Amino acid sequence: MLSSKDLSFWTACASALQPAAQAYIDGRLQDAVDGRQFASICPHTGHTIAMVARCAQADVDLAVSAARRSFEGGDWSRCHPRERKPVLQKLAQLLRDNADELALLDCLDMGKPISDALNIDVPATAALFDWYAEACDKLYDEVAPSGPDALALVTREPVGVVAAVIPWNFPLDMAAWKVAPALAAGNSVLLKPAEQSPLSAIRLAQLASEAGLPDGVLNVLPGYGEEAGQALGLHPDIDCLSFTGSTEIGKRFLAYSAASNMKMVWLECGGKSPNLVFGDCADLDAAARKAAFGICFNQGQVCSASSRLLVENSIHDRFVEKVLTEMAHYQPGNPLDPATRLGSLVDAGHTGRVHGFIEDGVRQGARLLAGGERLRLGDSDCYLQPTLFTGVTPQMRIAREEIFGPVLSVLRFDSEAEAIAMANDSIYGLAAAVWTDQLQRAHRVARALRAGTVSVNTVDALDPGVPFGGCKQSGFGRDLSLHALDKFSQLKTTWISL
Ligand code: NAD
Ligand code: MN
C-alpha cells in the first residue's frame, strides 16, 4: 500500500488539503479575538498553506478561563484515572487513522521528508499517547513512615492549568511530549505551537475532542512568540509552563515566571551534543552510519543532534572517509517525494542563518570537506547540502554554538581524558554518544560526560519509557517516561492524627 503513495499521490493530497487554522478554545475552532491572522508558509514551495489565527493576550485570557473552568469542573481533573485511559487510547487510534493528513501537515509546514513524518513522527506520537494512557491507572501514591500516632499520606494532584510552548522541528511529537503526560496527570492544557508549524497542533486538538476529551481541557493557541508565547509566560492564572525551544527564549520564560506568579517552569533547550569515537570501536561502519544520521536526520534540526564529532587521532582520516560516504546518502530533495531523506530547512531565514555558520567555519580556518552550498530546488532555496568540516578547534563558533542544520564539526583527540574534557567544554548538556568496544571505557566515559542522555555504540537512543532532557543550559526537568508526570503533578501531604 505504501508503494502507491508516491510523489504524485502526496502532491495531489497537498493541493487538496484545507487545514483547520483557527485557535481551538473550549472545544471549538475560533478566530483570534481581534481577527488577525498570520501565514503558515511551506518552505519547499514558498506558498501559504493557510492563514492562521494570530492569538495574543485576549485569546490567551479566553483560553486560560476555559482551561480553568474545565479544571475546576472536574470532568477530567477529578475523574477516576481509569476513565482517562480510553480517551487517550482513542486519541492514539485517531492519530493512526489520520496519519496521512498529519504527516502531510508537518511535511508542508516545516519541510521534513514525508517518509519520516509518516513512518517516525506520527507513529511515535500515537505510541506516546498509548504509553501515557496505560500509565494513568498504574501509579500509586505513598504513605510516609510517620510513627504510631499519625498517618501521613502523600498524594499526587494535577497542578491545574498547564501551558506548553513548543518549537517547529517535530511539531506533532513535541506537542505530544507535553500534552500526553499533562493530560494523563489530570491537568487542563494550553498548547502554543511554533509560528512556523501551527497546523498539526490544531488538528491534534480536534482529534482529542473526537476522542472524548471534555471541552476546555486541551486548547491550542497559534501565534507568535512575543505575543501568544509571552502572554502565556506572564499569565497570572497558569500554574505550570513546559517549554521546548532555544536556550535564549527558555531564559525568558524564567523571567516571565519571576515577573508574574512564580509558575513552575520546565525547560528543554538547545544542545551541541558530542559524539566520541574511540580507535577501539570495532564497527566503524555502524559508527559512521549513525554519525551521518545524527547530523542529517530532520535536516540537522534536532536539539540532540550529534553535531560535534570527536574522533581519536589514530582513526581520524579513515573514519572521516566513511562518514563522508554515509552523508552522501542524504541529498536534499522534495520533501513530498517518499524517496527523500533530507528535506528543506524550516524557512529561508533559518537556512540563511545556518549557511552563515558555514561561512564562518571557512573564515575561521576549518576545512570544508563536503557540502557547504545552499541549493535551490524548484521555487525554494531552503535547502542545504550536508556539510562536514574537519580541522575544527574547540574555540571556533562551529564547535561551540548550536547550528541546527546539517553541519558536522569534526574535532580530534589523542587520549580519553582529552576527549572527555573537550566534550564537556560546552554550555550545553543535552545528549552525548560514545563508541568503544571496551566495557570499562564505555562506563567510565558515560559517567564523566555531563549530559542528560549518553548513548553507547549508537546515537540519540530514545523511547517513550525512558526520560529525555538536559543539564546545564540545555535545561532541566525530563520529558517522556513516568518522570514527566512529576512536572505536571503536585504532591499533597495529608497528616491524620491518630
Ligand atoms: P525558539 O526558542 O525560537 O521558539 C520556541 C517557541 O518559543 C516557539 O513556540 C516560539 O513562538 C516561542 N517564542 C519565541 N520567542 C518568544 C518570546 N519572546 N516569548 C515567548 N515565547 C517565545 O526555538 P525554535 O527556533 O522554534 O526551535 C529551535 C530551538 O529549539 C533550538 O535551540 C533547539 O535546540 C530547541 N529544541 C530543543 C529540544 C529539546 O528537547 N531540548 C527539542 C526541540 C528543539
Ligand atoms: Mn511553515
Side-chain angles (χ1 to χ4, degrees), residues 70-91:
S70 70
F71 185 76
E72 298 302 339
D75 287 351
W76 185 255
S77 59
R78 289 194 304 275
C79 73
H80 194 297
R82 197 181 299 135
E83 292 171 29
R84 291 185 198 134
K85 179 159 65 174
V87 175
L88 298 180
Q89 284 172 327
K90 177 89 188 292
L91 175 54

Side-chain angles (χ1 to χ4, degrees), residues 95 124-126 128-129 132 166 170-182 191 204 480:
L95 290 164
T125 300
L128 200 68
F129 277 100
Y132 282 105
I166 58 168
F170 295 92
L172 191 59
D173 296 65
M174 288 299 108
W177 283 29
K178 312 294 188 194
V179 169
L191 171 65
L204 173 70
L480 307 179

Side-chain angles (χ1 to χ4, degrees), residues 387-442:
T387 299
L388 183 146
F389 281 106
T390 54
V392 178
T393 59
Q395 294 72 35
M396 291 180 185
R397 269 184 77 217
I398 58 169
R400 307 201 74 77
E401 294 180 30
E402 182 177 52
I403 299 175
F404 228 55
V407 181
L408 184 60
S409 301
V410 185
L411 297 91
R412 10 185 3 139
F413 65 84
D414 279 308
S415 70
E416 188 179 302
E418 187 189 359
I420 291 167
M422 217 186 264
N424 285 339
D425 177 20
S426 173
I427 62 164
Y428 298 114
L430 188 54
V434 187
W435 295 81
T436 176
D437 274 57
Q438 269 191 55
L439 182 66
Q440 292 93 334
R441 167 170 278 165

Side-chain angles (χ1 to χ4, degrees), residues 17 19-21 37-43 45-53 105-106 108-110 194-200 202 222 224 346:
L17 194 69
Q37 297 181 319
F38 68 99
S40 171
I41 292 172
C42 171
T45 58
H47 297 164
T48 296
I49 310 165
M51 292 306 293
V52 183
L105 287 174
D106 280 357
L108 293 175
D109 236 355
M110 54 68 69
E195 49 269 49
Q196 295 87 345
S197 58
L199 299 173
S200 58
I202 300 168
Y224 290 109
V346 67

Side-chain angles (χ1 to χ4, degrees), residues 133-213:
E134 286 294 348
C136 284
D137 60 353
K138 309 281 187 304
L139 284 176
Y140 290 74
D141 291 333
E142 296 169 7
V143 176
S146 51
D149 300 331
L151 176 65
L153 306 176
V154 184
T155 49
R156 274 169 193 270
E157 299 180 340
V159 296
V161 174
V162 171
V165 177
I166 58 168
W168 44 260
N169 58 343
F170 295 92
L172 191 59
D173 296 65
M174 288 299 108
W177 283 29
K178 312 294 188 194
V179 169
L183 291 181
N187 298 282
S188 289
V189 180
L190 311 163
L191 171 65
K192 195 203 88 61
E195 49 269 49
Q196 295 87 345
S197 58
L199 299 173
S200 58
I202 300 168
R203 189 71 186 114
L204 173 70
Q206 288 184 303
L207 294 174
S209 287
E210 199 179 322
L213 194 71

Side-chain angles (χ1 to χ4, degrees), residues 77-369:
S77 59
R78 289 194 304 275
C79 73
H80 194 297
R82 197 181 299 135
E83 292 171 29
R84 291 185 198 134
K85 179 159 65 174
V87 175
L88 298 180
Q89 284 172 327
K90 177 89 188 292
L91 175 54
Q93 189 52 48
L94 288 171
L95 290 164
R96 291 188 193 97
D97 295 345
N98 291 276
D100 281 4
E101 182 195 355
L102 290 160
L104 193 60
L105 287 174
D106 280 357
C107 169
L108 293 175
D109 236 355
M110 54 68 69
K112 71 169 64 218
I114 189 69
S115 296
D116 287 354
L118 191 65
N119 301 322
I120 299 173
D121 295 51
V122 178
T125 300
L128 200 68
F129 277 100
D130 269 336
W131 199 91
Y132 282 105
E134 286 294 348
C136 284
D137 60 353
K138 309 281 187 304
L139 284 176
Y140 290 74
D141 291 333
E142 296 169 7
V143 176
S146 51
D149 300 331
L151 176 65
L153 306 176
V154 184
T155 49
R156 274 169 193 270
E157 299 180 340
V159 296
V161 174
V162 171
V165 177
I166 58 168
W168 44 260
N169 58 343
F170 295 92
L172 191 59
D173 296 65
M174 288 299 108
W177 283 29
K178 312 294 188 194
V179 169
L183 291 181
N187 298 282
S188 289
V189 180
L190 311 163
L191 171 65
K192 195 203 88 61
E195 49 269 49
Q196 295 87 345
S197 58
L199 299 173
S200 58
I202 300 168
R203 189 71 186 114
L204 173 70
Q206 288 184 303
L207 294 174
S209 287
E210 199 179 322
L213 194 71
D215 289 350
V217 177
L218 176 59
N219 307 277
V220 177
L221 296 158
Y224 290 109
E226 319 82 71
E227 297 175 358
Q230 177 168 323
L232 290 167
L234 288 169
H235 204 286
D237 200 28
I238 290 174
D239 301 294
C240 167
L241 189 143
S242 180
F243 171 80
T244 293
S246 62
T247 291
E248 181 197 343
I249 303 299
K251 289 179 181 180
R252 290 205 204 183
F253 276 98
L254 294 173
Y256 295 151
S257 170
S260 56
N261 63 339
M262 247 165 79
K263 61 179 67 64
M264 271 188 248
V265 173
W266 301 106
L267 302 176
E268 299 274 7
C269 297
K272 189 74 184 175
S273 298
N275 180 9
L276 285 62
V277 184
F278 286 92
D280 60 28
C281 166
D283 194 350
L284 286 182
D285 292 325
R289 208 156 47 237
K290 288 284 190 176
F293 168 82
I295 195 64
C296 293
F297 176 58
N298 214 41
Q299 300 67 248
Q301 303 164 139
V302 180
C303 50
S304 50
S306 310
S307 53
R308 287 188 292 154
L309 179 61
L310 277 51
V311 186
E312 188 162 357
N313 252 324
S314 56
I315 55 163
H316 179 275
D317 294 355
R318 192 155 59 93
F319 186 65
V320 167
E321 261 328 298
K322 289 180 188 289
V323 177
L324 285 171
T325 306
E326 293 295 336
M327 279 176 74
H329 295 139
Y330 293 86
Q331 286 311 319
N334 183 348
L336 285 172
D337 185 339
T340 294
R341 293 179 76 186
L342 191 74
S344 75
L345 277 73
V346 67
D347 59 28
H350 183 62
T351 312
R353 202 179 134 263
V354 174
H355 192 248
F357 272 106
I358 296 172
E359 291 174 332
D360 203 69
V362 172
R363 218 168 18 244
Q364 294 199 322
R367 206 167 145 226
L368 181 65
L369 282 201

